[in-house]
Amino acid sequence: APYRGVLYAGLWSASAALGSAADGNASDIEVALKPGTALRSGVKALVGDGEATTIGYDASTGEVYLDRSSSGVIPNGTFASMDRARVEPGSDGLIHLRILVDHSSVEVFAGDGTAVLTDTVFPSAGSTGVSLFADGGTATFTSVAVHRMGSTH
């Protein structure tokens, strides 16, 4: 069964793990968030011992970003990158993110697909956690759904 949750209370400069029901290295994650006063807010995927791939919204620039600088094995000096794309809040005032995680790839769709980011990551086998975060203020996550994807093999 998918993890479904609604968080009406905001996160203030904190991180909240979604727990084992949301863990996995192949997931379809859907989030709607209201940035509020947070400078940055979003989702950390493939979270493990000192590792995470961070997908967020930067309110100061109006951009969604995919940060793989702590995503696991960094094969060379240019790999630890942060990709960004401008995105506008939806007509409801929320930032809508759909994040597809499949072992070593992360795809982010924001603004109903108007912004798309894709990266390769190399997390450790135990890095399967999912968490929400807000930095520098309060963000409200109005809906969160995590669907585990199975293998076709």
Side-chain angles (χ1 to χ4, degrees):
Y3 171 91
R4 291 191 185 278
V6 177
L7 306 175
Y8 294 105
L11 287 178
W12 185 85
S13 292
S15 180
L18 296 181
S20 61
D23 288 356
N25 58 12
S27 302
D28 182 348
I29 304 167
E30 296 178 85
V31 174
L33 69 94
K34 183 174 184 179
T37 61
L39 299 175
R40 288 168 305 282
S41 53
V43 176
K44 292 185 180 188
L46 301 170
V47 178
D49 187 23
E51 296 179 0
T53 300
T54 304
I55 302 98
Y57 178 73
D58 185 329
S60 67
T61 62
E63 295 174 321
V64 64
Y65 63 90
L66 172 54
D67 180 358
R68 66 180 181 178
S69 62
S70 298
S71 63
V73 174
I74 307 296
N76 60 53
T78 60
F79 185 83
S81 65
M82 183 183 301
D83 297 324
R84 296 174 166 272
R86 182 119 177 100
V87 67
E88 297 293 327
S91 58
D92 56 4
L94 303 175
I95 301 298
H96 295 269
L97 301 174
R98 183 170 183 197
I99 304 157
L100 301 177
V101 177
D102 189 11
H103 302 278
S104 63
S105 68
V106 178
E107 294 185 272
V108 179
F109 300 88
D112 293 324
T114 59
V116 179
L117 302 171
T118 303
D119 263 328
T120 301
V121 294
F122 300 107
S124 301
S127 294
T128 60
V130 178
S131 63
L132 307 176
F133 75 93
D135 292 333
T138 302
T140 302
F141 294 81
T142 61
S143 68
V144 177
V146 179
H147 307 273
R148 288 187 184 175
M149 296 188 294
S151 174
T152 59
H153 301 284

